[in-house]
Amino acid sequence: MLKTNQAYRDENAVNLHENYKLLSGSVQISLFISTCLAVIMTVILHEQINTRILLLWLTVLCSVNVIRLIVHHWFKRHPSFNPEVILIHLRFFRFGAVMSGLAWGWAGFYFAQQVELVYQLFITFTLGGLATGATSSLAVDKFAVVAFIFATILPNTLHYFLSSGDIPIAMAIMLLIFTAFMLNSAKDQGKSLHENLKLRIQAKRDEAQFKEILNFSPSAASITNLSTLDTLFTNKRHLELFGTDATPFSENNNAIFLVDKSELDDIRQNLETQHSISNKLLKFHSQESAKNLWCIGSFVRVNYLDSPAVLSWFFDITDRIRMEEQIKLLAYHDSLTNLSNRHLFEDRLKLALKHAERDKELLGVMFIDLDGFKSINDSHGHGVGDQLLKAVADRVTAILRQSDTLSRIGGDEFIVLLPKINAVDDAMKVAEKLLLALSKPFDINSHQLQMSASIGLAIYPQHGDTAQTLLKNADIAMYQVKDSGKNNVRLYNE
């Protein structure tokens, strides 16, 4: 209940503040016009009325206007939503309007008695113009408009009623009718202004609630002007995700993460013909590092602050993408050396066989088994053994071409794919280079580790035309090396 009361007070404060802003919005031009008319009247009547009285009246009116203007500027520079403060200014504004009206009303009553009819008409015309202007500028506040019109017009009307003759009486009646018309017009204008004010306040309240909802959204949200590409709004999650209030979909900004320009152009072109775009996978690249973000983006055209805009949502799926990549890596790669595993190797071998058959080329498959690895692993421990396997992978990779594939299929066994070779001797030369490289010592944890390798080689199409046949025959050739003393290379021979 306390929260409801507080919300009610806040709403009243906003309404009161907006009412006062609307009421005092034209006070500067109104006071300027009032002062100019007073100076003109002083100049016109200076030969008809005592100069001291005229100047005294002008001084009083100008002083009231200056004080009202000073208070208005003070409030404008120090706005407040405190209802008590606003009420004080509102009461002062009303008091100032009454004092200005009385100053003009006194002129209408006293000056009109001192001058001829033509000057009286001039005074009445001036007062009527002021009252008409007040109808528009003060219509939002019933007290201010009624008080000013009555204070300005009724003294002049009273003067005509006290004068003799048909014309003054007719003028008085006409002023009363004119006053009634202005009050009715002020009533209608005030009603219209209040309705517009309510709509404006409701629009601001809806905008604030909309922003509050977006701020609590788990998705990063932003609003971008479609014409200027200026950022109009970003929520808290957007700041957390992108580290800036600049939307990644604005060009030439300081956003940490951006989408490729081609993606931006595609989104903007689609939004010209579509109302919305849903669940688009987007890759954001960092301007400061090699880090990337993956997001699901959705976009909808909206009208925000009377301008065409796009509301964007970004749901961060970077962790999911990385997890999928890790799962894929584990499914197709050896976890220790990060080399391709047997499954991926066989896929690449099958693809290489199709190319070799089409282009009438040779390819080679090698089986590599490390001689003496088990004894090193047993004597120095699995930690040293693992590091040795990594070193072997690095040394073999350094010799192979970029198009070749090295795979660890378990333990100390490796297989190599050599696509697009010109002759069997080319494969044999690669195998001999590997044999020589693997016979050199490995420096692992200050240990000089020495071992060798047994390598079997099978060539397509001489030794098989399928992946399984080539792998089997290369394996057979490798075991033939093992049986004949190890540390050698052998080409498959039936």
Side-chain angles (χ1 to χ4, degrees):
M1 188 67 179
L2 179 62
K3 188 174 182 180
T4 303
N5 290 338
Q6 181 62 42
Y8 179 75
R9 284 195 295 270
D10 292 342
E11 183 177 346
N12 283 341
V14 171
N15 292 339
L16 192 60
H17 183 269
E18 292 297 326
N19 267 283
Y20 180 75
K21 280 179 60 179
L22 188 59
L23 177 63
S24 61
S26 59
V27 67
Q28 297 179 359
I29 187 65
S30 298
L31 295 178
F32 176 75
I33 292 173
S34 175
T35 304
C36 290
L37 290 177
V39 173
I40 293 172
M41 182 175 287
T42 301
V43 173
I44 296 298
L45 301 179
H46 79 281
E47 293 182 354
Q48 305 293 320
I49 299 174
N50 186 286
T51 303
R52 290 178 59 188
I53 294 177
L54 270 175
L55 292 177
L56 179 61
W57 169 79
L58 180 63
T59 302
V60 170
L61 182 63
C62 290
S63 299
V64 172
N65 289 347
V66 169
I67 294 173
R68 291 180 65 190
L69 191 62
I70 291 173
V71 174
H72 168 73
H73 276 292
W74 185 90
F75 184 81
K76 192 174 181 180
R77 293 184 63 182
H78 305 86
S80 173
F81 283 91
N82 188 331
E84 296 178 357
V85 175
I86 299 173
L87 279 174
I88 291 173
H89 283 274
L90 179 60
R91 288 165 184 162
F92 181 84
F93 184 91
R94 290 171 174 174
F95 178 75
V98 171
M99 294 302 297
S100 295
L102 289 175
W104 281 106
W106 182 84
F109 180 79
Y110 180 78
F111 290 168
Q113 297 181 45
Q114 311 297 317
V115 297
E116 299 175 358
L117 182 59
V118 64
Y119 290 101
Q120 294 179 27
L121 294 176
F122 167 74
I123 293 172
T124 302
F125 177 80
T126 303
L127 297 178
L130 276 171
T132 303
T135 302
S136 299
S137 61
L138 302 178
V140 70
D141 187 73
K142 185 184 296 184
F143 178 88
V145 69
V146 171
F148 185 82
I149 290 176
F150 278 176
T152 303
I153 299 298
L154 289 188
N156 191 238
T157 305
L158 180 60
H159 155 70
Y160 284 120
F161 272 123
L162 295 178
S163 301
S164 58
D166 295 336
I167 293 179
I169 297 298
M171 288 292 296
I173 295 173
M174 289 174 63
L175 281 175
L176 288 177
I177 295 173
F178 179 62
T179 301
F181 171 77
M182 285 190 296
L183 291 174
N184 184 69
S185 177
K187 177 183 175 183
D188 293 340
Q189 289 188 42
K191 182 179 179 182
S192 177
L193 288 171
H194 278 292
E195 289 176 353
N196 291 335
L197 181 61
K198 287 181 180 178
L199 291 175
R200 192 169 67 187
I201 292 174
Q202 184 61 42
K204 288 185 177 181
R205 188 178 294 117
D206 291 343
E207 180 187 348
Q209 290 176 351
F210 176 64
K211 288 182 178 180
E212 186 175 0
I213 291 172
L214 289 182
N215 268 329
F216 280 98
S217 171
S219 301
S222 66
I223 301 176
T224 307
N225 187 296
L226 273 177
S227 302
T228 63
L229 296 181
D230 291 335
T231 303
L232 304 178
F233 171 77
T234 52
N235 69 347
K236 294 178 181 178
R237 178 57 183 151
H238 187 284
L239 296 176
E240 293 171 357
L241 185 61
F242 299 112
T244 175
D245 59 355
T247 169
F249 284 83
S250 296
E251 296 177 344
N252 301 321
N253 60 36
N254 296 320
I256 295 177
F257 291 94
L258 292 176
V259 183
D260 290 338
K261 189 176 184 301
S262 59
E263 290 275 16
L264 293 179
D265 294 338
D266 182 57
I267 291 171
R268 285 201 292 268
Q269 289 174 6
N270 289 335
L271 284 174
E272 290 178 359
T273 57
Q274 305 175 34
H275 179 70
S276 62
I277 300 174
S278 300
N279 301 327
K280 184 177 180 65
L281 182 62
L282 297 168
K283 182 180 181 181
F284 293 79
H285 59 271
S286 173
Q287 298 193 100
E288 300 178 354
S289 66
K291 183 180 178 182
N292 294 317
L293 286 179
W294 290 91
C295 292
I296 295 294
S298 296
F299 315 91
V300 59
R301 286 184 299 164
V302 296
N303 189 37
Y304 187 77
L305 300 178
D306 297 327
S307 298
V310 57
L311 171 60
S312 308
W313 287 279
F314 308 106
F315 187 75
D316 183 18
I317 61 167
T318 305
D319 290 342
R320 191 176 82 185
I321 294 293
R322 288 174 180 168
M323 187 178 297
E324 290 175 355
E325 290 176 348
Q326 184 66 25
I327 292 173
K328 187 183 294 185
L329 183 67
L330 293 174
Y332 292 100
H333 291 78
D334 173 52
S335 59
L336 176 63
T337 62
N338 204 31
L339 297 174
S340 58
N341 59 14
R342 182 163 190 147
H343 182 74
L344 181 58
F345 182 89
E346 289 181 356
D347 286 345
R348 291 182 179 177
L349 176 55
K350 290 175 182 178
L351 182 61
L353 284 170
K354 290 181 180 179
H355 289 296
E357 182 182 4
R358 182 193 64 194
D359 299 332
K360 307 300 181 183
E361 294 176 336
L362 304 179
L363 66 79
V365 175
M366 284 192 293
F367 243 95
I368 303 174
D369 186 87
L370 302 179
D371 305 325
F373 175 78
K374 186 177 184 302
S375 61
I376 293 174
N377 197 46
D378 292 342
S379 59
H380 294 283
H382 293 293
V384 171
D386 288 345
Q387 292 186 52
L388 178 58
L389 289 173
K390 291 180 181 180
V392 168
D394 293 339
R395 191 172 289 186
V396 173
T397 301
I399 294 173
L400 297 177
R401 300 170 299 177
Q402 190 171 1
S403 59
D404 300 335
T405 298
L406 173 64
S407 173
R408 176 174 176 248
I409 58 175
D412 59 350
E413 291 185 329
F414 296 82
I415 48 180
V416 177
L417 169 62
L418 302 173
K420 296 184 178 182
I421 56 175
N422 297 320
V424 176
D425 286 346
D426 294 337
M428 288 296 292
K429 288 178 182 179
V430 174
E432 289 168 356
K433 285 182 181 179
L434 294 179
L435 189 68
L436 179 61
L438 294 176
S439 65
K440 294 179 180 180
F442 289 86
D443 186 6
I444 306 294
N445 287 354
S446 302
H447 298 290
Q448 289 288 322
L449 305 178
Q450 188 79 40
M451 63 179 185
S452 62
S454 299
I455 302 177
L457 176 62
I459 303 296
Y460 167 86
Q462 291 96 319
H463 306 138
D465 57 3
T466 66
Q468 293 301 323
T469 302
L470 289 169
L471 286 169
K472 181 187 73 172
N473 290 339
D475 191 25
I476 291 173
M478 182 269 294
Y479 274 106
Q480 290 175 347
V481 174
K482 286 280 189 184
D483 293 340
S484 61
K486 303 179 182 181
N487 192 26
N488 205 345
V489 177
R490 174 164 293 187
L491 186 67
Y492 174 73
N493 189 336
E494 294 182 359

